[in-house]
Amino acid sequence: MKNEVKITMEINYKHLEQENESYFKHMFVALRYASKLLKLVGCLIIHAFLPFIMYNVMRPTFMRINQEDNERKLRNKNAAD
C-alpha cells in the first residue's frame, strides 16, 4: 500500500512532558479518541454490508479528530510557553 502506516511499539518516557499533559488528562484524551474510533468502526462495518448508507462518515470523522488533536496540541504548547 502506498500510504501504509507503520505502527511500532516504541517507549517514550518523555511523551507526557512533550505533550504538556498529566497522566490522567492524557488518558482521558486517548480514551475519548478511542471511543470515537470505535463508533467509526461500527459505522464502517455497517457500511461494508450496506454501502448506500453511512457513506459520508469516515472522512469527516477523521478530519474532526485531526482538527481536535491539532487544537489540543496548540493549547498545550501555548500553556507551556
Side-chain angles (χ1 to χ4, degrees), residues 1-79:
M1 285 169 78
K2 184 178 169 184
N3 295 326
E4 189 173 323
V5 175
K6 184 178 180 183
I7 299 174
T8 60
M9 293 297 292
E10 295 178 19
I11 296 175
N12 180 359
Y13 292 108
K14 296 191 181 266
H15 180 62
L16 294 174
E17 182 181 324
Q18 291 167 345
E19 295 295 322
N20 193 35
E21 290 179 336
S22 70
Y23 178 85
F24 289 105
K25 181 177 180 185
H26 193 75
M27 179 179 69
F28 289 122
V29 168
L31 289 172
R32 189 175 73 238
Y33 288 157
S35 71
K36 290 179 182 188
L37 291 171
L38 282 172
K39 290 177 191 175
L40 182 60
V41 166
C43 291
L44 291 173
I45 290 171
I46 293 169
H47 175 74
F49 293 100
L50 304 169
F52 44 85
I53 63 172
M54 297 186 190
Y55 57 88
N56 60 348
V57 174
M58 186 178 75
R59 187 169 289 124
T61 302
F62 279 138
M63 290 174 65
R64 223 174 13 256
I65 289 172
N66 187 43
Q67 182 178 356
E68 287 175 17
D69 192 48
N70 288 336
E71 290 171 359
R72 178 182 63 90
K73 287 180 180 181
L74 185 61
R75 275 193 313 271
N76 291 346
K77 183 179 183 288
N78 289 337

